[in-house]
Amino acid sequence: MAIVKLEKMQLIGLKSNLAAVINFLSKQGCSEIRENTELAAALEAHKQENRAGHVVPESHAFKEAFIKQINNLALPQTQKVDVFDLPADNYAAFLTECTQRIEFLDKQIALSGVVKPVKSPMFKLRDEVDKEVYLSMRTRQEELLQSAKDFAELYMQKEQLQLTLNKENGLAEQLKPFRNLHVSQRREAERREAEHFAFLLGSLRNREHFLDLQPQLDNLSSPCVYEELELAEPQEQVVLLLAVEKDGLPELEKLLSAFAFKALPTLNLLVPHAGVDLGRTYQETLQTAEKLTAQINTLMQKLRDLTVHTQDWRILADFYRVQQERLQALCKLSSSEKIFVLEAFVPSKLKADLYNELEANYCVTCNDCAIGEDEKVPVMLSNCRQIRPYESVIEEFSMPDYHNDIDPTWILAPCYAFFFGAMLSDIGYGLIFFIAAMYLLLKNKVEGNARRFMWIFAGGGFFAILWGLAFGSFFGDLPSAITNGAFTLKPLFADPFKEPMIVMGSSVVLGMAHIACGMLLNMYKLCRNGDPRAAFTEIAPWFFIFGGIGVSVAGISWGKWMSLIAVCVIVFLSKKNSRNPIVQLITGILKLYDITGFVGDILSYTRITALVLSTSVIAMVVNMFAKMIGFGFPNIIVTLLILLLGHTMNIALSGLSAYVHTTRLHYVEFFGRFYDGGGDLFRPLSIHTKYTREKQVTKSLVERLRCAVSKN
């Protein structure tokens, strides 16, 4: 239950062992590789003298080099490879290529779920895959990647056809009301006669517009003839065919635009000499849509056939993910033509075992390396299995400072569950949280962060049951509502509605105890870091100040003297940054202003009372509605529906509020008393996958360390 002590390792070896060493470190998961910029610059200058050339990305040589590098990194740890003949800056190009392949495969995997939907649980476990299956990706990667490319190309064709089909279907919907409109093609004689006339075909929004337009058409300077055309289906809009002398066309177009006269689909306002046959256009559109639908169905069948490779794509994507992390490590190390130098942070307890296994199996030498004064050391927390899930709460906020902070997980875990339960404070709601979390943990065996949060919710649900017993709440007052008051669950501590001041006072007391724990931790931290004066002149006196106030309120006269002495200690004996006595006095007096912060933080804990009351009130309102409808048949069906929906909503709102406000109390009020934060999470070179996981026969070094901590 502490911050793990880390040491810096420098590993020097032959390049022929590089891939195997990276593979080994990746599987052990206990070393965070760091880049030494000075050493990298020196070795890079040496390599510039003998550099033969550079492999250009997207070239055939680059593709072959990438596959060779990936395969080397994926080799079993006992196998060694030839010296890499590529300059180190190609690792960055390889990393980019690997990342692009992962993103491409992820996209095709997601699209395969669209093409052939598969029902999956909310928390889907990663599939276990044998080591041999992962290694088979070395020879199958190009074949599987090509199948993914074929899938992507077919899907793109399908999407393009779908866009065209949507346009055709939209056009058909627009043409459907006008499918009976037909304006015949003019004969040659008619064309000569109509050379001096223009014909317009279009529609008005409604008949009111048409009635307003009619008198103005009759008053045009050039004669205008118009005819209303009937539609195949009744429509609000009015279709007109108009004829006017060409000299009067501009005047007519201006008038029509004022009435929002618009052309019919696929047409302009002017009728062409070839005539108009929207019925034929409508049928041609439907035929085109049918052909497109048939083509899309054919492509969909081909896409469904290719989805048989989805599982292989998942394995390949995870295969690339593992190699991606290893390539990131390669980008950080320094190397010359024949050797490489790697620097990494490793846990002190694992250092000896790691050194022994590396030096026994590979041609490398491991040495301790001094940590720079300004170098930021990553933070690894080591806690027993029961409280380890609460590390996620700290990670979401900020990791502790490696040199100055302490690991607060051991005190955060019980306090977090305690306050979460206090804010939920209902037996029924607590049972639901606890049972649901344990079901997902034991039956579904959720993984990763979801598993950690399920343990947190299980702890919060357990304490919610205890607080529900204290306040006498089981889905609010449901037992009383069902039995018409014949049975009422008696509170073991206080009824929030009848005794709200007791609940509020308890919230304040809990807040004072919580803040006091933070202050004691701060005193311990200051003493451990070599500053006991600050601990006993700036932190400890506040206990006597508030204690003296409490004693005085109780009627004991010497309480005020205890508070006064504590005030003097803060003003005159606390640490100051100036030797000027006046500045020191002012600084000491200003430190007393911290009392406003204490009062504000303590009052912040009254939110516990607010959440207790809000949860209970909503539950009681739901029960009241259910009671009004009654529990007899057939009303009980509606009653049960109201109870189910109402309490489900209340559980969701109350659970969210409990999580948010519990987290807020710890981040602001509790951590603000002793926690600096600002550390970086220890991120060792390891194996991180998304879809699958390799079946492990032996435990890694870091897993052995965690097992040892859990046993202790």
Side-chain angles (χ1 to χ4, degrees), residues 18-20 22-24 26-27 66-79 81 84 131-139 141 318-320 322-324 326-327 330 694:
L18 177 56
I22 293 295
N23 188 306
F24 171 79
S26 173
K27 293 193 174 181
F66 171 78
I67 295 173
K68 178 182 177 183
Q69 182 70 55
I70 291 295
N71 290 342
N72 287 339
L73 287 172
L75 279 172
Q77 300 166 22
T78 55
Q79 299 186 30
V81 297
F84 295 159
K131 179 180 179 180
E132 291 72 19
V133 177
Y134 271 119
L135 292 177
S136 69
M137 294 296 110
R138 297 175 61 247
T139 56
Q141 57 178 303
D318 283 343
F319 173 80
Y320 281 138
V322 175
Q323 314 318 320
Q324 177 192 41
R326 294 170 180 175
L327 282 169
L330 288 175
E694 182 181 341

Side-chain angles (χ1 to χ4, degrees), residues 441-516:
L441 286 168
L442 302 178
K443 181 69 175 178
N444 282 21
K445 299 186 183 299
V446 293
E447 300 176 321
N449 281 333
R451 185 173 186 82
R452 300 165 84 179
F453 278 104
M454 287 305 107
W455 279 115
I456 292 174
F457 291 145
F462 174 77
F463 276 98
I465 296 171
L466 299 182
W467 278 102
L469 290 170
F471 294 143
S473 177
F474 181 82
F475 292 101
D477 62 343
L478 185 60
S480 177
I482 293 176
T483 61
N484 288 322
F487 175 77
T488 302
L489 188 64
K490 300 295 183 182
L492 300 179
F493 175 62
D495 188 331
F497 294 99
K498 296 179 181 179
E499 302 164 308
M501 296 309 297
I502 294 178
V503 178
M504 181 172 291
S506 302
S507 301
V508 171
V509 170
L510 289 174
M512 293 174 67
H514 200 215
I515 291 174

Side-chain angles (χ1 to χ4, degrees), residues 127-136 315 692-697:
D127 299 324
E128 281 197 346
V129 177
D130 291 328
K131 179 180 179 180
E132 291 72 19
V133 177
Y134 271 119
L135 292 177
S136 69
I315 298 173
T692 60
R693 56 176 176 165
E694 182 181 341
K695 292 181 180 178
Q696 291 188 344
V697 180

Side-chain angles (χ1 to χ4, degrees), residues 333-403:
L333 58 82
S334 308
S335 63
S336 64
E337 296 299 323
K338 298 278 181 82
I339 67 169
F340 70 93
V341 181
L342 179 151
E343 292 185 356
F345 284 104
V346 297
S348 297
K349 292 183 178 180
L350 302 180
K351 184 183 71 171
D353 292 340
L354 185 64
Y355 283 13
N356 291 336
E357 293 198 34
L358 282 169
E359 293 178 347
N361 296 310
Y362 310 103
C363 189
V364 298
T365 179
C366 301
N367 303 294
D368 293 338
C369 185
I371 298 176
E373 293 183 2
D374 299 330
E375 189 170 4
K376 199 165 187 179
V377 182
V379 178
M380 178 183 181
L381 303 179
S382 177
N383 293 287
C384 62
R385 184 180 58 187
Q386 290 75 15
I387 66 173
R388 194 178 299 151
Y390 292 88
E391 292 178 2
S392 60
V393 179
I394 298 173
E395 291 173 9
E396 289 294 324
F397 179 67
S398 176
M399 293 300 289
D401 182 86
Y402 179 81
H403 298 288

